[in-house]
């Protein structure tokens, strides 16, 4: 889950990172009022959950309140990548002398948090990594000890920051690390962290990605979720506790367990088909969850066939079968479906499915072959 720039920066500020004064506006009039309060010179910034807003024309400098209103009217409603701009952040403009990149993230290969910095700030960090990897400085952080000042000093001096900034750089880096840790972030990024003309560090941009597996213990952040970020199907899946990712193929799959879902997708591909989605209905397959999952799968108009692959462990085959039959009673569809059911109470389940005239298969191979054939027909 990603937060908007203004949300990220406010959280950074709560942890001691300096940010410009600013407010969010949804109309040009609001932008004018905010700019007036900030003293005129402002930057008007689209709040959408994607990077590269500057290049797309979604960040504009304004010399006065009138220009701020004008900039807001140009940016609001603008389309940036797949997002429509509904809000702008009006920030006091900063005089930029230099732009730095600073981020905290998890280095999975080392299983440690890592600070990453570069003097090539303001640019796309992927581009810096590809073209001038030597400009990226990394230090790992021991989560039991936290970020030490010698680590910040090493990073600051390696970037060529003037020594009078080192102490402030440590404050910013510590604040960013503290924010990163306290919200269970997978990424906390400032790009650019600027050095102003009077030598002060200031976070003019902010990005914060929260680990979805930790959102349950971050209730305040969960409320900040921008539902425009998700497709309707993804939103529906999240509300029903399903893991769903839409793909480009035409065979919808409903599977219990992430590993089994991956294997099912592989076998579909092996038989020349393309999965339309990844869907893990999880442990308890009730009529409600099966029905919600099936509606989500069928909401994708590319779906030409559906393959159920259910392994009954704790979940019982007869319950799943009743779930499928119950769900189909609520849904009007002529998309062909194949069910493969194995494990606890599978035989009972198969009887229920056959009685309801559902097509069943004994093995995954057979089920995949039939689903691929049905999608082609
Ligand atoms: P992004 O393109 O989505 O990453 O948006 P940013 O917030 O990073 O803004 C893009 C660029 O706009 C920055 O790299 C800066 O060069 C510039 N910018 C942002 N805020 C200010 C500001 O207050 N003053 C000035 N002069 N430039 C700014
Ligand atoms: Mn940026």
């Amino acid at each position: 889950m990603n937060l908007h720039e203004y949300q990220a920066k406010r959280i950074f500020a709560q942890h001691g990172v300096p940010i410009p004064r600013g407010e969010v506006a949804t109309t040009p009039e609001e932008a004018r009022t905010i700019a007036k309060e900030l003293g005129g010179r402002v930057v008007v910034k689209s709040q959408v959950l994607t990077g590269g807003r500057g290049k797309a024309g979604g960040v504009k400098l304004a010399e006065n309140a009138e220009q701020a209103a004008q900039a807001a009217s140009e940016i609001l409603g603008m389309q940036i990548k797949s997002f429509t701009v509904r809000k702008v952040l009006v920030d006091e403009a900063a005089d930029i002398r230099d732009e730095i990149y600073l981020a905290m993230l998890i280095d999975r290969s080392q299983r440690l948090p890592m600070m990453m910095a570069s003097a090539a700030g303001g640019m796309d960090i992927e581009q810096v990594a590809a073209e001038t990897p030597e400009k990226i400085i990394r230090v790992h952080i021991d989560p039991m000890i936290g970020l030490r000042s010698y680590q910040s000093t090493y990073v600051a001096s390696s970037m060529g920051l003037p020594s009078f900034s080192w102490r402030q750089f440590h404050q910013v880096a510590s604040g960013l690390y503290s924010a990163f840790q306290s919200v269970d972030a997978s990424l906390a990024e400032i790009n650019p962290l600027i050095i102003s003309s009077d030598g002060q560090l200031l976070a003019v941009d902010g990005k914060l990605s929260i680990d979805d597996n930790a959102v349950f213990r971050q209730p305040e952040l969960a409320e900040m979720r921008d539902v425009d970020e998700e497709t309707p199907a993804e939103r529906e899946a999240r509300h029903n506790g399903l893991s769903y990712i839409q793909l480009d193929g035409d065979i919808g799959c409903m599977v219990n367990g992430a590993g089994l879902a991956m294997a099912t997708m592989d076998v579909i591909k092996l038989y020349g088909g393309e999965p339309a989605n990844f869907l893990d209905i999880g442990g308890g397959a009730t009529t409600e969850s099966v029905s919600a999952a099936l509606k989500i799968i069928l909401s994708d108009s590319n779906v030409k066939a559906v393959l159920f692959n259910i392994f009954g462990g704790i979940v019982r085959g007869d319950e799943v079968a009743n779930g499928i039959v119950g769900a189909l009673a609520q849904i009007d569809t002529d998309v062909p479906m194949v069910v493969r059911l194995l494990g606890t109470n599978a035989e009972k389940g198969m009887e229920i499915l056959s009685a309801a005239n559902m097509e069943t298969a004994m093995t995954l191979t057979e089920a995949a072959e039939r689903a691929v054939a049905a999608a082609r027909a």
Side-chain angles (χ1 to χ4, degrees):
M1 165 185 166
N2 294 317
L3 298 186
H4 281 295
E5 173 195 2
Y6 73 94
Q7 297 166 326
K9 289 202 294 200
R10 282 175 189 171
I11 291 169
F12 294 170
Q14 286 165 6
H15 292 265
V17 175
I19 63 164
R21 293 191 300 145
E23 281 299 333
V24 173
T26 53
T27 63
E29 290 65 43
E30 279 173 23
R32 181 187 291 119
T33 309
I34 297 165
K36 231 177 251 167
E37 279 164 16
L38 294 174
R41 266 201 89 225
V42 293
V43 55
V44 181
K45 313 179 71 179
S46 51
Q47 298 298 290
V48 280
L49 294 168
T50 178
R53 296 164 302 160
K55 275 188 208 150
V59 176
K60 287 188 171 30
L61 276 165
E63 292 301 326
N64 52 49
E66 213 38 58
Q67 283 185 12
Q70 178 60 32
S73 74
E74 288 166 21
I75 295 173
L76 287 164
M78 185 186 253
Q79 191 79 15
I80 301 182
K81 293 177 190 164
S82 61
F83 301 92
T84 307
V85 182
R86 301 182 201 284
K87 282 181 259 182
V88 290
L89 173 63
V90 183
D91 262 0
E92 197 168 34
D95 286 316
I96 300 180
R97 189 202 287 168
D98 250 317
E99 302 193 13
I100 300 166
Y101 175 94
L102 178 65
M104 302 292 164
L105 57 153
I106 301 288
D107 180 355
R108 285 172 178 253
S109 65
Q110 296 294 316
R111 300 181 220 155
L112 283 173
M114 179 171 82
M115 165 157 63
M116 200 161 108
S118 168
M123 287 171 62
D124 188 0
I125 194 67
E126 282 81 14
Q127 193 186 338
V128 178
E131 290 167 12
T132 47
E134 70 284 356
K135 286 194 182 155
I136 297 180
I137 299 137
R138 297 177 175 84
V139 297
H140 290 97
I141 300 166
D142 183 328
M144 295 302 170
I145 298 172
L147 178 68
R148 309 307 294 171
S149 66
Y150 74 87
Q151 296 180 301
S152 300
T153 303
Y154 162 73
V155 169
S157 63
S158 306
M159 283 194 292
L161 278 196
S163 56
F164 68 83
S165 294
W166 293 358
R167 181 188 288 267
Q168 205 201 355
F169 181 77
H170 179 58
Q171 277 172 10
V172 172
S174 305
L176 188 63
Y177 180 66
S178 158
F180 170 82
Q181 245 197 340
S182 73
V183 301
D184 294 308
S186 51
L187 173 72
E189 181 189 82
I190 305 174
N191 187 25
L193 171 66
I194 65 142
I195 308 176
S196 64
S197 48
D198 53 359
Q200 297 299 304
L201 295 175
L202 193 65
V204 304
D205 191 9
K207 180 175 176 185
L208 198 50
S209 307
I210 313 296
D211 184 335
D212 279 320
N213 294 313
V215 170
F216 76 94
R217 59 179 197 181
Q218 300 286 348
E220 282 170 29
L221 298 186
E223 281 172 22
M224 291 185 184
R225 184 189 293 273
D226 183 345
V227 290
D228 291 340
E229 180 194 12
E230 300 171 305
T231 65
E234 284 168 347
R235 191 174 320 147
E236 201 47 41
R238 185 166 51 76
H239 285 314
N240 286 286
L242 310 165
S243 305
Y244 171 80
I245 293 155
Q246 192 171 334
L247 303 168
D248 299 330
D250 57 7
I251 300 178
C253 344
M254 187 185 311
V255 187
N256 64 331
L260 192 59
M262 301 295 281
T264 305
M265 289 159 60
D266 281 349
V267 176
I268 288 172
K269 279 173 168 279
L270 186 65
Y271 286 96
E274 284 294 332
N277 65 274
F278 168 97
L279 193 154
D280 171 11
I281 56 170
T286 60
T287 307
E288 290 78 47
S289 65
V290 171
S291 156
L294 194 55
K295 281 179 193 159
I296 290 165
I297 290 175
L298 294 174
S299 72
D300 176 357
S301 58
N302 289 329
V303 170
K304 301 275 184 297
V306 177
L307 167 55
F308 294 81
N309 188 21
I310 306 290
F311 187 84
I314 295 169
V315 58
R316 290 169 18 220
D318 52 331
E319 262 174 41
V320 175
N322 280 325
I324 296 172
V325 174
L328 282 169
Q330 300 169 11
I331 301 169
D332 183 26
T333 178
D334 53 8
V335 172
M337 304 190 185
V338 185
V339 188
R340 184 244 181 173
L341 194 61
L342 207 73
T344 313
N345 289 5
E347 278 158 26
K348 263 193 187 166
M350 293 295 235
E351 279 167 26
I352 294 166
L353 293 168
S354 302
N357 291 324
M358 297 264 333
E359 197 173 327
T360 58
M362 288 310 292
T363 64
L364 178 53
T365 307
E366 190 193 337
E369 271 180 315
R370 302 234 305 260
V372 171
R376 291 214 177 118

